[in-house]
Amino acid sequence: MYTQGLDQKGQTANNRGTTESQEQLAAFQRRIDAEEKIEAKDWMPEGYRRTLVRQISQHAHSEIIGMQPEGNWLTRAPTLKRKAILLAKVQDEAGHGLYLYSAGETLGTSRDQMVGDLLSGKAKYSSIFNYPTLTWADIGAIGWLVDGAAIMNQIPLCRCSYGPYARAMVRVCKEESFHQRQGFDIMLALSRGTAAQQAMAQDALNRWWWPSIMMFGPNDSNSRHSAQSMAWKIKRFSNDELRQKFIDVTVPQAEFLGLKVPDDDLEFDKLTGHYRFGEIDWQELSDVIAGNGPCNRQRMARRRQAHDDGAWVRKAAQAYADKQAAKKAA
Amino acid sequence: MKSDDLLLAYVTRLGDNALVLAQRKIETVTLGPELEEELANANFALDYLGQARLFYTLAGELENAGRDEDDFAFLRSDHEFRNLLLLEQPNGHFGDMIARDFLFESFYVLQLEALERCRHAGVAAIAARAVKEVRYHLRHVGRWLVRLGDGTAQSHERAQRSIDDLWRFTGELFAADEIDRAFAKGFDGPDLEALRVQWQQAVAAVLAEATLKQPEDGWMASGGKQGRHSEHFGYLLAEMQHLHRSHPGATW
């Protein structure tokens, strides 16, 4: 998932003044159009490379930062089974981060560089993780809605034109779909539970619904990089198409849970077969992306703290490895 | 205590060690020094959580009073937990955690190896599974202790301090009480005195490779195995049990 910020920031393709001939670009496009996979050592336009590095690293950062809101309930999970499932999920996210960084590295940008960009604030991560997890039901809502939205975004990425990313996404998607099911399962247990548990579930849906549908990014008319990414087959569907699909799938699930989606304008349109929905508060999305969400500072502070606190450990490991290498050489 | 109660206490104690260490590890999720360590920590915590669930489920069966794993984890108070004091200490920094895991797991591997061979089928089965996990953990944390000890001057100093600080909790690992003796006698369980000798050798070898000094055996803290904990423990339980206890009888 977590690619929403892609359309918000970055440079336009090929602004470094590199010389890319029309022939090269046309040949590249022919490969894309023929659904060939582009591999790490293949020639590619700088803009393509840059777009992918931005998208893949943003995706990796989102996995890493996304561990925080869920990790927030690990110590308090209500049963040992739920605790184990949530821990496995958070661990999966670290794993996703790891192989996404590796996919990013195939494009010539090191993990250190990507992580450095996250820590300096230059690189973005999905704004959804700047919302707080206030109750256990939020863990259910994140799995159900946030991972559900993520899957909508990610399934098409398994067919992305860049081979290493597409292959990483196949594995990520399998795990995400397990995550989504466990989230729905939490919501199901709560909605069949006590009045207090039902209220907890409704409250979580109220808070997570709108941020979740913002995850697909701005409307197509306002999406800066969409057209080029579609032509390069990095992106297969537009933001609005994916958002609509998510809403169409999710509303009946909410009804099944006996929960009310917090949108008074939500209505099924028999003619189109789709749900019509209310106006999204785009100001909120820009605010959160600009750093003014409820948890932006908290999330970054924790990430920086972990990085800083670990510096002596990484140095020690390096010093030890150097000593061993020197011994071997001697 | 009757022999059934002694067996139940022994199995519950194994579960308590596993759960308390899992909970401490879980507290550090997202704070690892490196992404690979983040994965390792979560993985190890999952192993311990799995062991705790198995031991508690077995304890529930032995007791035969209708308690399940969650009743053991969430509905007992602090004095009913019989884990080692070493495991409930606050995490501290990375070196403290490595030292804690190293000192404990050097013992736990030996304990599990003995349990694997014991004459209680239920305990032996869990131990056979757990020992594979913990052997791997021990190799991992042992390597880290060597890196920290023989890394930079700063890491050496920190690792030494961690070992020194935690050493006083290692006496309890081998302090056999009625419960340990009953299991040793009744089921051919571990002889803690024999384990101590093996543990000292194993620990000394790694400390030497890590260029760390083995502390003198001085005063040793004890009480965890009898339900007398450190001040830190109440907070660990309060956090872990709060949600479960706030909704009595709820299904999650």
Short mmCIF file of all heavy atoms in Angstrom, two decimals, chain B residues 150-210:
data_model
loop_
_atom_site.label_atom_id
_atom_site.label_comp_id
_atom_site.label_asym_id
_atom_site.label_seq_id
_atom_site.Cartn_x
_atom_site.Cartn_y
_atom_site.Cartn_z
N ASP B 150 33.79 -7.05 22.40
CA ASP B 150 35.02 -6.88 21.63
C ASP B 150 34.82 -5.89 20.48
O ASP B 150 35.46 -5.99 19.43
CB ASP B 150 35.46 -8.26 21.08
CG ASP B 150 36.90 -8.24 20.58
OD1 ASP B 150 37.65 -7.31 20.94
OD2 ASP B 150 37.27 -9.16 19.82
N GLY B 151 33.91 -4.93 20.68
CA GLY B 151 33.65 -3.93 19.64
C GLY B 151 34.42 -2.66 19.87
O GLY B 151 35.64 -2.63 19.72
N THR B 152 33.74 -1.61 20.31
CA THR B 152 34.42 -0.36 20.64
C THR B 152 34.67 -0.29 22.14
O THR B 152 34.13 -1.10 22.90
CB THR B 152 33.53 0.85 20.25
OG1 THR B 152 32.33 0.78 21.04
CG2 THR B 152 33.17 0.83 18.78
N ALA B 153 35.46 0.69 22.56
CA ALA B 153 35.71 0.86 24.00
C ALA B 153 34.39 1.13 24.72
O ALA B 153 34.12 0.60 25.81
CB ALA B 153 36.69 2.02 24.22
N GLN B 154 33.55 1.91 24.09
CA GLN B 154 32.26 2.25 24.71
C GLN B 154 31.37 1.01 24.86
O GLN B 154 30.76 0.78 25.90
CB GLN B 154 31.54 3.30 23.86
CG GLN B 154 30.24 3.77 24.46
CD GLN B 154 29.39 4.55 23.47
OE1 GLN B 154 29.35 4.26 22.27
NE2 GLN B 154 28.71 5.58 23.96
N SER B 155 31.32 0.22 23.79
CA SER B 155 30.44 -0.95 23.85
C SER B 155 30.98 -1.98 24.85
O SER B 155 30.22 -2.65 25.54
CB SER B 155 30.25 -1.57 22.46
OG SER B 155 31.42 -2.22 22.02
N HIS B 156 32.29 -2.06 24.94
CA HIS B 156 32.91 -2.97 25.91
C HIS B 156 32.51 -2.57 27.33
O HIS B 156 32.08 -3.39 28.13
CB HIS B 156 34.43 -2.94 25.76
CG HIS B 156 35.14 -3.78 26.79
ND1 HIS B 156 35.38 -5.12 26.62
CD2 HIS B 156 35.62 -3.46 28.02
CE1 HIS B 156 35.99 -5.59 27.70
NE2 HIS B 156 36.15 -4.59 28.57
N GLU B 157 32.63 -1.30 27.58
CA GLU B 157 32.32 -0.79 28.92
C GLU B 157 30.84 -1.02 29.26
O GLU B 157 30.50 -1.44 30.37
CB GLU B 157 32.65 0.71 28.93
CG GLU B 157 32.64 1.34 30.28
CD GLU B 157 32.70 2.86 30.18
OE1 GLU B 157 33.43 3.38 29.28
OE2 GLU B 157 31.99 3.52 30.95
N ARG B 158 29.99 -0.75 28.28
CA ARG B 158 28.56 -0.94 28.53
C ARG B 158 28.22 -2.41 28.75
O ARG B 158 27.42 -2.74 29.63
CB ARG B 158 27.73 -0.40 27.35
CG ARG B 158 27.67 1.10 27.36
CD ARG B 158 26.63 1.63 26.39
NE ARG B 158 26.63 3.08 26.48
CZ ARG B 158 25.88 3.88 25.76
NH1 ARG B 158 25.04 3.36 24.87
NH2 ARG B 158 25.93 5.18 25.92
N ALA B 159 28.78 -3.27 27.91
CA ALA B 159 28.46 -4.70 28.04
C ALA B 159 28.94 -5.22 29.39
O ALA B 159 28.26 -6.01 30.05
CB ALA B 159 29.10 -5.49 26.90
N GLN B 160 30.13 -4.77 29.81
CA GLN B 160 30.66 -5.20 31.11
C GLN B 160 29.73 -4.76 32.23
O GLN B 160 29.41 -5.52 33.14
CB GLN B 160 32.07 -4.63 31.33
CG GLN B 160 32.75 -5.12 32.60
CD GLN B 160 33.04 -6.63 32.54
OE1 GLN B 160 33.77 -7.08 31.68
NE2 GLN B 160 32.44 -7.40 33.44
N ARG B 161 29.28 -3.55 32.13
CA ARG B 161 28.38 -3.00 33.15
C ARG B 161 27.06 -3.79 33.19
O ARG B 161 26.52 -4.07 34.26
CB ARG B 161 28.12 -1.52 32.81
CG ARG B 161 27.23 -0.78 33.75
CD ARG B 161 28.01 -0.39 35.00
NE ARG B 161 27.10 0.11 36.02
CZ ARG B 161 26.87 1.39 36.22
NH1 ARG B 161 27.53 2.31 35.52
NH2 ARG B 161 26.02 1.79 37.14
N SER B 162 26.57 -4.15 32.00
CA SER B 162 25.31 -4.90 31.93
C SER B 162 25.46 -6.25 32.62
O SER B 162 24.61 -6.66 33.41
CB SER B 162 24.90 -5.13 30.47
OG SER B 162 24.77 -3.91 29.78
N ILE B 163 26.56 -6.93 32.30
CA ILE B 163 26.81 -8.23 32.93
C ILE B 163 26.96 -8.07 34.45
O ILE B 163 26.36 -8.82 35.23
CB ILE B 163 28.08 -8.90 32.33
CG1 ILE B 163 27.84 -9.30 30.86
CG2 ILE B 163 28.54 -10.09 33.16
CD1 ILE B 163 26.98 -10.54 30.66
N ASP B 164 27.72 -7.06 34.85
CA ASP B 164 27.93 -6.82 36.29
C ASP B 164 26.60 -6.56 36.99
O ASP B 164 26.34 -7.08 38.08
CB ASP B 164 28.86 -5.62 36.50
CG ASP B 164 30.29 -5.92 36.06
OD1 ASP B 164 30.59 -7.10 35.79
OD2 ASP B 164 31.09 -4.96 35.96
N ASP B 165 25.77 -5.72 36.37
CA ASP B 165 24.51 -5.33 37.01
C ASP B 165 23.54 -6.50 37.14
O ASP B 165 22.76 -6.56 38.09
CB ASP B 165 23.81 -4.23 36.19
CG ASP B 165 24.49 -2.88 36.38
OD1 ASP B 165 25.32 -2.76 37.30
OD2 ASP B 165 24.19 -1.95 35.60
N LEU B 166 23.56 -7.39 36.17
CA LEU B 166 22.56 -8.46 36.17
C LEU B 166 23.04 -9.73 36.87
O LEU B 166 22.25 -10.63 37.12
CB LEU B 166 22.14 -8.78 34.73
CG LEU B 166 21.36 -7.65 34.03
CD1 LEU B 166 21.11 -7.99 32.56
CD2 LEU B 166 20.02 -7.38 34.73
N TRP B 167 24.34 -9.76 37.17
CA TRP B 167 24.90 -10.99 37.74
C TRP B 167 24.20 -11.41 39.02
O TRP B 167 23.98 -12.59 39.29
CB TRP B 167 26.41 -10.79 37.98
CG TRP B 167 27.13 -12.08 38.19
CD1 TRP B 167 27.54 -12.61 39.39
CD2 TRP B 167 27.50 -13.03 37.18
NE1 TRP B 167 28.15 -13.81 39.18
CE2 TRP B 167 28.14 -14.10 37.83
CE3 TRP B 167 27.35 -13.06 35.79
CZ2 TRP B 167 28.64 -15.21 37.14
CZ3 TRP B 167 27.85 -14.16 35.11
CH2 TRP B 167 28.47 -15.22 35.77
N ARG B 168 23.79 -10.42 39.82
CA ARG B 168 23.18 -10.74 41.13
C ARG B 168 21.82 -11.43 40.98
O ARG B 168 21.25 -11.89 41.96
CB ARG B 168 23.05 -9.46 41.96
CG ARG B 168 22.06 -8.47 41.42
CD ARG B 168 22.35 -7.06 41.94
NE ARG B 168 21.78 -6.09 41.04
CZ ARG B 168 20.64 -5.45 41.29
NH1 ARG B 168 19.99 -5.66 42.41
NH2 ARG B 168 20.16 -4.59 40.43
N PHE B 169 21.28 -11.47 39.76
CA PHE B 169 20.02 -12.20 39.57
C PHE B 169 20.24 -13.64 39.10
O PHE B 169 19.27 -14.37 38.90
CB PHE B 169 19.14 -11.47 38.53
CG PHE B 169 18.71 -10.11 38.98
CD1 PHE B 169 19.25 -8.97 38.41
CD2 PHE B 169 17.76 -9.98 39.98
CE1 PHE B 169 18.85 -7.71 38.82
CE2 PHE B 169 17.35 -8.72 40.42
CZ PHE B 169 17.90 -7.58 39.83
N THR B 170 21.51 -14.03 38.92
CA THR B 170 21.75 -15.37 38.36
C THR B 170 21.73 -16.46 39.44
O THR B 170 21.56 -17.63 39.11
CB THR B 170 23.09 -15.44 37.61
OG1 THR B 170 24.15 -15.12 38.53
CG2 THR B 170 23.12 -14.47 36.44
N GLY B 171 21.87 -16.06 40.69
CA GLY B 171 21.83 -17.06 41.76
C GLY B 171 20.48 -17.78 41.79
O GLY B 171 20.40 -18.99 42.02
N GLU B 172 19.45 -17.01 41.53
CA GLU B 172 18.09 -17.56 41.60
C GLU B 172 17.85 -18.67 40.58
O GLU B 172 16.99 -19.54 40.79
CB GLU B 172 17.06 -16.43 41.41
CG GLU B 172 15.67 -16.85 41.84
CD GLU B 172 14.61 -15.79 41.60
OE1 GLU B 172 14.82 -14.87 40.76
OE2 GLU B 172 13.55 -15.88 42.24
N LEU B 173 18.57 -18.61 39.46
CA LEU B 173 18.38 -19.63 38.43
C LEU B 173 18.60 -21.02 39.01
O LEU B 173 17.97 -21.99 38.60
CB LEU B 173 19.37 -19.42 37.27
CG LEU B 173 19.44 -18.04 36.60
CD1 LEU B 173 20.53 -18.04 35.53
CD2 LEU B 173 18.13 -17.66 35.97
N PHE B 174 19.54 -21.11 39.95
CA PHE B 174 19.98 -22.43 40.44
C PHE B 174 19.55 -22.72 41.87
O PHE B 174 19.93 -23.73 42.44
CB PHE B 174 21.52 -22.52 40.33
CG PHE B 174 21.99 -22.20 38.94
CD1 PHE B 174 22.51 -20.95 38.62
CD2 PHE B 174 21.86 -23.15 37.93
CE1 PHE B 174 22.91 -20.65 37.34
CE2 PHE B 174 22.25 -22.85 36.64
CZ PHE B 174 22.78 -21.60 36.34
N ALA B 175 18.79 -21.80 42.46
CA ALA B 175 18.36 -21.97 43.85
C ALA B 175 17.15 -22.90 43.88
O ALA B 175 16.01 -22.48 43.71
CB ALA B 175 18.03 -20.61 44.48
N ALA B 176 17.41 -24.20 44.08
CA ALA B 176 16.32 -25.18 44.05
C ALA B 176 15.45 -25.06 45.29
O ALA B 176 15.95 -24.89 46.40
CB ALA B 176 16.90 -26.58 43.94
N ASP B 177 14.16 -25.12 45.11
CA ASP B 177 13.25 -25.15 46.24
C ASP B 177 12.45 -26.46 46.18
O ASP B 177 12.73 -27.33 45.36
CB ASP B 177 12.33 -23.92 46.25
CG ASP B 177 11.46 -23.84 45.00
OD1 ASP B 177 11.48 -24.80 44.19
OD2 ASP B 177 10.76 -22.83 44.83
N GLU B 178 11.46 -26.55 47.03
CA GLU B 178 10.63 -27.75 47.14
C GLU B 178 10.05 -28.15 45.77
O GLU B 178 10.00 -29.33 45.43
CB GLU B 178 9.49 -27.44 48.13
CG GLU B 178 8.61 -28.60 48.44
CD GLU B 178 7.35 -28.15 49.19
OE1 GLU B 178 7.05 -26.92 49.23
OE2 GLU B 178 6.65 -29.01 49.72
N ILE B 179 9.65 -27.14 45.00
CA ILE B 179 9.00 -27.40 43.71
C ILE B 179 10.00 -28.00 42.71
O ILE B 179 9.70 -28.97 42.02
CB ILE B 179 8.40 -26.09 43.17
CG1 ILE B 179 7.28 -25.62 44.10
CG2 ILE B 179 7.90 -26.25 41.74
CD1 ILE B 179 6.84 -24.18 43.90
N ASP B 180 11.20 -27.41 42.66
CA ASP B 180 12.25 -27.95 41.77
C ASP B 180 12.63 -29.37 42.18
O ASP B 180 12.79 -30.25 41.34
CB ASP B 180 13.51 -27.08 41.84
CG ASP B 180 13.28 -25.69 41.26
OD1 ASP B 180 12.78 -25.60 40.12
OD2 ASP B 180 13.58 -24.71 41.96
N ARG B 181 12.78 -29.56 43.48
CA ARG B 181 13.23 -30.88 43.97
C ARG B 181 12.18 -31.95 43.71
O ARG B 181 12.50 -33.07 43.31
CB ARG B 181 13.58 -30.80 45.46
CG ARG B 181 14.93 -30.13 45.73
CD ARG B 181 15.38 -30.31 47.17
NE ARG B 181 14.54 -29.55 48.10
CZ ARG B 181 14.78 -28.29 48.46
NH1 ARG B 181 15.85 -27.64 48.01
NH2 ARG B 181 13.97 -27.66 49.29
N ALA B 182 10.92 -31.57 43.88
CA ALA B 182 9.86 -32.55 43.64
C ALA B 182 9.83 -32.96 42.16
O ALA B 182 9.65 -34.14 41.84
CB ALA B 182 8.51 -31.96 44.04
N PHE B 183 10.04 -32.00 41.27
CA PHE B 183 10.02 -32.35 39.84
C PHE B 183 11.25 -33.17 39.47
O PHE B 183 11.17 -34.10 38.67
CB PHE B 183 9.92 -31.10 38.96
CG PHE B 183 9.55 -31.43 37.54
CD1 PHE B 183 8.23 -31.67 37.17
CD2 PHE B 183 10.52 -31.55 36.55
CE1 PHE B 183 7.89 -32.02 35.87
CE2 PHE B 183 10.20 -31.90 35.25
CZ PHE B 183 8.87 -32.13 34.90
N ALA B 184 12.38 -32.82 40.06
CA ALA B 184 13.62 -33.58 39.79
C ALA B 184 13.44 -35.03 40.23
O ALA B 184 13.80 -35.95 39.51
CB ALA B 184 14.80 -32.93 40.51
N LYS B 185 12.86 -35.18 41.39
CA LYS B 185 12.72 -36.52 41.96
C LYS B 185 11.59 -37.30 41.27
O LYS B 185 11.78 -38.44 40.84
CB LYS B 185 12.41 -36.38 43.46
CG LYS B 185 12.69 -37.62 44.24
CD LYS B 185 12.60 -37.36 45.75
CE LYS B 185 12.47 -38.69 46.48
NZ LYS B 185 11.56 -38.64 47.62
N GLY B 186 10.46 -36.67 41.13
CA GLY B 186 9.29 -37.36 40.62
C GLY B 186 9.35 -37.67 39.12
O GLY B 186 8.78 -38.65 38.66
N PHE B 187 10.00 -36.79 38.37
CA PHE B 187 9.96 -36.93 36.91
C PHE B 187 11.34 -36.95 36.27
O PHE B 187 11.46 -36.73 35.07
CB PHE B 187 9.11 -35.82 36.29
CG PHE B 187 7.68 -35.84 36.74
CD1 PHE B 187 7.26 -35.02 37.79
CD2 PHE B 187 6.77 -36.70 36.15
CE1 PHE B 187 5.94 -35.05 38.22
CE2 PHE B 187 5.44 -36.74 36.58
CZ PHE B 187 5.03 -35.91 37.62
N ASP B 188 12.36 -37.15 37.09
CA ASP B 188 13.70 -37.16 36.53
C ASP B 188 14.01 -35.81 35.88
O ASP B 188 14.62 -35.74 34.80
CB ASP B 188 13.81 -38.28 35.48
CG ASP B 188 15.10 -39.04 35.64
OD1 ASP B 188 15.90 -38.63 36.51
OD2 ASP B 188 15.30 -40.02 34.90
N GLY B 189 13.60 -34.77 36.54
CA GLY B 189 13.79 -33.40 36.02
C GLY B 189 15.18 -32.90 36.26
O GLY B 189 16.04 -33.62 36.80
N PRO B 190 15.47 -31.66 35.87
CA PRO B 190 16.84 -31.13 35.97
C PRO B 190 17.34 -31.02 37.41
O PRO B 190 16.60 -30.64 38.30
CB PRO B 190 16.72 -29.73 35.34
CG PRO B 190 15.28 -29.48 35.09
CD PRO B 190 14.53 -30.73 35.25
N ASP B 191 18.61 -31.35 37.56
CA ASP B 191 19.30 -31.14 38.82
C ASP B 191 20.00 -29.79 38.71
O ASP B 191 20.98 -29.65 37.97
CB ASP B 191 20.30 -32.29 39.03
CG ASP B 191 21.28 -32.01 40.15
OD1 ASP B 191 21.17 -30.95 40.81
OD2 ASP B 191 22.18 -32.85 40.36
N LEU B 192 19.48 -28.81 39.43
CA LEU B 192 19.96 -27.44 39.24
C LEU B 192 21.43 -27.27 39.60
O LEU B 192 22.12 -26.44 39.02
CB LEU B 192 19.08 -26.46 40.01
CG LEU B 192 17.63 -26.32 39.48
CD1 LEU B 192 16.86 -25.29 40.30
CD2 LEU B 192 17.62 -25.92 38.00
N GLU B 193 21.89 -28.04 40.57
CA GLU B 193 23.32 -27.94 40.93
C GLU B 193 24.21 -28.39 39.77
O GLU B 193 25.23 -27.77 39.47
CB GLU B 193 23.62 -28.78 42.18
CG GLU B 193 23.65 -27.99 43.48
CD GLU B 193 24.40 -26.66 43.36
OE1 GLU B 193 25.58 -26.68 42.96
OE2 GLU B 193 23.80 -25.60 43.65
N ALA B 194 23.79 -29.48 39.11
CA ALA B 194 24.56 -29.97 37.96
C ALA B 194 24.51 -28.95 36.83
O ALA B 194 25.51 -28.70 36.13
CB ALA B 194 24.01 -31.31 37.50
N LEU B 195 23.35 -28.32 36.66
CA LEU B 195 23.20 -27.31 35.61
C LEU B 195 24.11 -26.10 35.87
O LEU B 195 24.65 -25.51 34.94
CB LEU B 195 21.74 -26.83 35.55
CG LEU B 195 20.87 -27.37 34.41
CD1 LEU B 195 20.92 -28.88 34.35
CD2 LEU B 195 19.43 -26.90 34.56
N ARG B 196 24.27 -25.80 37.14
CA ARG B 196 25.09 -24.62 37.48
C ARG B 196 26.52 -24.79 36.96
O ARG B 196 27.11 -23.84 36.41
CB ARG B 196 25.11 -24.40 39.00
CG ARG B 196 25.84 -23.11 39.40
CD ARG B 196 26.36 -23.17 40.84
NE ARG B 196 25.32 -23.32 41.83
CZ ARG B 196 24.73 -22.29 42.47
NH1 ARG B 196 25.09 -21.07 42.21
NH2 ARG B 196 23.80 -22.51 43.37
N VAL B 197 27.05 -25.97 37.11
CA VAL B 197 28.42 -26.23 36.68
C VAL B 197 28.53 -26.06 35.15
O VAL B 197 29.44 -25.38 34.66
CB VAL B 197 28.86 -27.66 37.09
CG1 VAL B 197 30.26 -27.96 36.57
CG2 VAL B 197 28.78 -27.80 38.62
N GLN B 198 27.58 -26.66 34.46
CA GLN B 198 27.60 -26.54 32.99
C GLN B 198 27.42 -25.08 32.55
O GLN B 198 28.04 -24.61 31.60
CB GLN B 198 26.45 -27.36 32.38
CG GLN B 198 26.63 -28.85 32.45
CD GLN B 198 25.38 -29.55 31.94
OE1 GLN B 198 24.45 -29.78 32.70
NE2 GLN B 198 25.33 -29.84 30.65
N TRP B 199 26.53 -24.40 33.24
CA TRP B 199 26.24 -22.99 32.93
C TRP B 199 27.49 -22.13 33.11
O TRP B 199 27.81 -21.31 32.25
CB TRP B 199 25.12 -22.49 33.84
CG TRP B 199 24.70 -21.06 33.67
CD1 TRP B 199 23.82 -20.58 32.75
CD2 TRP B 199 25.14 -19.93 34.44
NE1 TRP B 199 23.67 -19.21 32.91
CE2 TRP B 199 24.47 -18.79 33.93
CE3 TRP B 199 26.02 -19.76 35.51
CZ2 TRP B 199 24.65 -17.51 34.45
CZ3 TRP B 199 26.20 -18.48 36.02
CH2 TRP B 199 25.52 -17.37 35.49
N GLN B 200 28.19 -22.36 34.21
CA GLN B 200 29.39 -21.56 34.48
C GLN B 200 30.42 -21.73 33.37
O GLN B 200 31.03 -20.76 32.94
CB GLN B 200 29.97 -21.93 35.85
CG GLN B 200 29.24 -21.22 36.98
CD GLN B 200 29.61 -21.77 38.35
OE1 GLN B 200 30.11 -22.89 38.47
NE2 GLN B 200 29.35 -20.97 39.38
N GLN B 201 30.55 -22.96 32.91
CA GLN B 201 31.53 -23.22 31.84
C GLN B 201 31.12 -22.52 30.55
O GLN B 201 31.92 -21.88 29.88
CB GLN B 201 31.66 -24.72 31.60
CG GLN B 201 32.44 -25.43 32.70
CD GLN B 201 32.32 -26.96 32.60
OE1 GLN B 201 31.57 -27.47 31.76
NE2 GLN B 201 33.02 -27.66 33.46
N ALA B 202 29.83 -22.67 30.22
CA ALA B 202 29.35 -22.09 28.97
C ALA B 202 29.45 -20.56 28.99
O ALA B 202 29.90 -19.93 28.02
CB ALA B 202 27.90 -22.52 28.73
N VAL B 203 29.05 -19.98 30.12
CA VAL B 203 29.08 -18.52 30.24
C VAL B 203 30.53 -18.02 30.22
O VAL B 203 30.85 -17.03 29.53
CB VAL B 203 28.35 -18.08 31.53
CG1 VAL B 203 28.66 -16.64 31.88
CG2 VAL B 203 26.83 -18.28 31.36
N ALA B 204 31.40 -18.71 30.93
CA ALA B 204 32.81 -18.29 31.00
C ALA B 204 33.43 -18.28 29.60
O ALA B 204 34.20 -17.37 29.25
CB ALA B 204 33.59 -19.21 31.92
N ALA B 205 33.10 -19.26 28.79
CA ALA B 205 33.69 -19.34 27.45
C ALA B 205 33.29 -18.15 26.59
O ALA B 205 34.13 -17.54 25.91
CB ALA B 205 33.26 -20.65 26.77
N VAL B 206 32.02 -17.79 26.63
CA VAL B 206 31.56 -16.66 25.80
C VAL B 206 32.09 -15.34 26.35
O VAL B 206 32.52 -14.46 25.59
CB VAL B 206 30.02 -16.64 25.69
CG1 VAL B 206 29.56 -15.42 24.90
CG2 VAL B 206 29.51 -17.92 25.03
N LEU B 207 32.08 -15.20 27.67
CA LEU B 207 32.59 -13.95 28.26
C LEU B 207 34.07 -13.76 27.87
O LEU B 207 34.50 -12.65 27.55
CB LEU B 207 32.46 -13.96 29.78
CG LEU B 207 31.04 -13.81 30.33
CD1 LEU B 207 31.05 -13.90 31.86
CD2 LEU B 207 30.40 -12.50 29.89
N ALA B 208 34.83 -14.86 27.86
CA ALA B 208 36.25 -14.76 27.50
C ALA B 208 36.39 -14.30 26.04
O ALA B 208 37.19 -13.41 25.74
CB ALA B 208 36.93 -16.11 27.70
N GLU B 209 35.59 -14.89 25.18
CA GLU B 209 35.66 -14.48 23.77
C GLU B 209 35.25 -13.02 23.60
O GLU B 209 35.78 -12.31 22.75
CB GLU B 209 34.76 -15.38 22.91
CG GLU B 209 35.08 -15.25 21.42
CD GLU B 209 34.05 -15.90 20.50
OE1 GLU B 209 33.23 -16.71 20.98
OE2 GLU B 209 34.07 -15.57 19.30
N ALA B 210 34.32 -12.60 24.46
CA ALA B 210 33.86 -11.20 24.39
C ALA B 210 34.81 -10.25 25.11
O ALA B 210 34.53 -9.05 25.19
CB ALA B 210 32.47 -11.11 25.00
#
